[in-house]
Amino acid sequence: MIDIWQCVPAGLQDAILLFFLLLPGLFLGYWVIRGYRPWQLISALLVRYRWLNLLFVLLIAVSVGAGTAILAQEKALREGSARAAEKFDLVISAPGSKIDMLMAVVYLQPVDVPLLDGKVLKALAEDPRVDLAAPIAYGDSYHGFPVIGSTAGFVRYLAGEPVLGRMFSTAHEVIIGAKVNLSIGDTFIPVHGHGEEVDLDEHHEDSNEHHEMTADADETGKSCRLTGTHHHHHHDQSYKYKVVGRLERSGTPWDKGIIAPVEALWAVHGLKSGHLPHDERLGPPFDYTHFPGTPAIIVHAKNLWANYALASEYTTDGTMAFFPGTVLAKLHELLGDVRKVMSLLSNLTEVLVALSIFSGLIILARLFSRRFALLRAIGAPGRFIFAVMWSYTAILVSSGSLAGLVLGYLGSRFFAIVVARETDITLRVFLSWNEYQHVAAFFSLALLLAVFPAYIAFRKAGVADLRAG
Amino acid sequence: MFGLSLERVSVQGNGKRPILDIASFSVDPGEKIGICGPSGAGKSTFLHMLCGLVVPCSGSIFWGDTDLRSLSENNRDLFRQRFLGLIFQEPCLFEELSALENASLAASFVPPSARHDIRERAAFYLERFGLPKTGRKVVSFSGGERQRVAVARALAGNPKVILADEPTAALDQENRKHLMDDLVRCTKQEKKTLLMVSHDLKALARMDRTVELRDGVLAGGSSNLMEEGR
């Protein structure tokens, strides 16, 4: 049986599961309503207590919407963050926090990290298993857009050729991500730091003040930081960049990146050029004796297995190799656990809301009691009263569930906009089988629970209510 | 046509004293009976018992050959649905529905084969009672019009018996007369049995005979009332 189930395509499995989740509610509905036409009476009750009904529907919609939004959002977050990291097969950096490095390299979040020296890059560049080994440098920004230094090869690997303009060809040219508010031909002077951490006094301070990076880099090549605003260093305040190209939109934080030749970032910070003196070339091969250091090297191996071999080889006392995808998977696992807790709370809320609404309906049924008593008096069977009350509840639950789906989707879209604004990660929000199944489960459960107010209404509809009023 | 026969019927209330205690009572098919008596005498309970909404603790109630006491609750519902038409002091209408929808309310729960007939008859009676705009919501109707909708609802199922509980009590003099005209004419023409609780002497005067209930006990016919009404 399990074998047969596993042979069924995933989409069909989801559809079958959805059907079976809806089935109890639908079956109960058929069983309750069969032989009757209660819709006129139900519409009368819906119209008579329209504001109260609207409130019930809204309460259900909000609780179902919250559950739907949690599911949809978590999925979109996973997908969006994974998409941002998918081009980063293997990252090699100095030992430290993998999460910090992941945030720095993939999500362009400013963190202080130690530098790797040129020998590591040289070894990787000469390794026959390696297709691409690109240094990456950052620490500057312009109007909140981070300036990242790397090679043309890495840019092509990451985002392809610019969709507008061309690739940089000198140390004063940059290409920009799709969401950078600059145009081709614009020139600008970068500042040190990023976002709120920008060193606003940069242009006014003593430019001769030396950053510890410079000294440390020269001495050890390991303990330096390219980022970090607490470390003032020589920063060329007159270094101008010219925008020569714009990349296609990728839906990742790199859309807000300004990508310059890595040599330019070194030059801005008064470091060696990575090449022999008077060698004006950009990009690899670098001369490791003149290599000022890089916080990370992005590696793309020719074969998948080579990534694992390289990761193993570069996990040493002096270097750290990691797969961003793996780190992300661990974060997602954590996110998944949080989601489980939130989903549980949300499901609990849904049930509690449903129960409180049903309690409200039991009270409301008292207002219907005279009408129900009249129906009994003119010969309506008890099951008809049950059918009217149950269907009335079912309509509120169905409307609330559907509205909850829409609300959950809109809520997720709104959250995605907020996340995109804060992180530049585009979240693709869509409702999947999972969300539909979640709502279907709630729908069926609520319809089963709706039996109680219906039963109470049916039992109470009696001659005493006929005398009332 | 249905006749009614009651023998030694007793309905117990919450206390020890019975609400109703009727030794014997019968109604011929097509007969029109007025029921009068002071408040709290058990008139409404008497009608509710006759339609199976209140079950006596002893005795027998025969409508034709059917012993109402022996029927299950579901079968009593079915019996009311098929054979009895009820009219109350208050019309008890669904305000959000039209006159026709109210009058054909039973079409919501009767078997599909009977639905069309109910709607046809409801429309027929509404027109006959001077309510041709049957699509109008009853919320805008006057008291007299609403009660006529209630009478049409009672007649729409083509019952053999009409049980009316003070149907004219909430109406003014003119509307009382119109309603009684409609009710008596229809039941007479269609040879339906009518049992009507009322304090209205003029209404009772139009019945074939009137019985009085006092403290749950039937006091027999009252020709005086009929004479007074006339």
Side-chain angles (χ1 to χ4, degrees), chain A residues 73-86 99 102-103 106-107 324-340 425 427:
Chain A
Q73 201 54 58
E74 192 256 353
K75 184 175 61 191
L77 265 175
R78 273 174 193 260
E79 193 263 342
S81 56
R83 184 163 26 81
E86 71 186 358
I99 291 174
L102 177 78
M103 298 309 284
V106 177
Y107 304 110
T326 311
V327 177
L328 210 52
K330 282 185 182 164
L331 283 174
H332 286 165
E333 211 171 285
L334 184 69
L335 196 67
D337 289 343
V338 173
R339 195 262 296 165
K340 274 180 197 161
I425 298 173
L427 301 186

Side-chain angles (χ1 to χ4, degrees), chain A residues 173-379:
Chain A
E173 292 179 343
V174 294
I175 53 171
I176 54 177
K179 287 163 84 175
V180 175
N181 290 337
L182 285 168
S183 303
I184 292 174
D186 286 352
T187 57
F188 67 92
I189 297 171
V191 293
H192 185 60
H194 181 218
E196 291 173 2
E197 295 181 345
V198 166
D199 189 348
L200 295 172
D201 296 330
E202 191 76 44
H203 295 278
H204 310 292
E205 285 191 357
D206 180 3
S207 64
N208 292 323
E209 185 186 348
H210 285 275
H211 181 251
E212 62 183 270
M213 176 186 76
T214 314
D216 290 351
D218 289 344
E219 285 164 15
T220 68
K222 284 185 179 176
S223 60
C224 313
R225 285 162 172 79
L226 270 175
T227 60
T229 53
H230 306 297
H231 311 288
H232 294 281
H233 59 80
H234 176 84
H235 191 273
D236 188 343
Q237 297 164 17
S238 60
Y239 200 96
K240 262 189 187 175
Y241 285 123
K242 183 180 182 187
V243 179
V244 295
R246 185 185 285 279
L247 293 171
E248 194 176 6
R249 187 163 181 213
S250 64
T252 73
W254 285 73
D255 282 340
K256 279 196 174 175
I258 297 171
I259 309 172
V262 67
E263 291 86 347
L265 262 85
W266 290 329
V268 170
H269 293 86
L271 303 173
K272 291 175 183 174
S273 71
H275 300 283
L276 290 169
H278 310 297
D279 184 351
E280 298 291 314
R281 279 185 307 113
L282 295 179
F286 294 100
D287 185 285
Y288 80 91
T289 56
H290 291 83
F291 191 81
T294 179
I297 300 166
I298 313 299
V299 178
H300 175 60
K302 286 173 182 163
N303 299 300
L304 187 63
W305 60 265
N307 276 322
Y308 291 95
L310 288 164
S312 172
E313 286 168 29
Y314 284 87
T315 303
T316 65
D317 289 345
T319 57
M320 173 176 80
F322 69 97
F323 300 110
T326 311
V327 177
L328 210 52
K330 282 185 182 164
L331 283 174
H332 286 165
E333 211 171 285
L334 184 69
L335 196 67
D337 289 343
V338 173
R339 195 262 296 165
K340 274 180 197 161
V341 173
M342 288 180 73
S343 277
L344 190 71
L345 286 173
S346 148
N347 291 345
L348 196 66
T349 310
E350 281 171 17
V351 173
L352 287 174
V353 166
L355 285 176
S356 43
I357 284 168
F358 293 158
S359 307
L361 287 175
I362 289 169
I363 296 164
L364 192 65
R366 293 300 305 154
L367 297 174
F368 302 163
S369 60
R370 190 143 189 254
R371 288 152 179 249
F372 288 159
L374 167 83
L375 289 170
R376 290 306 302 274
I378 65 171

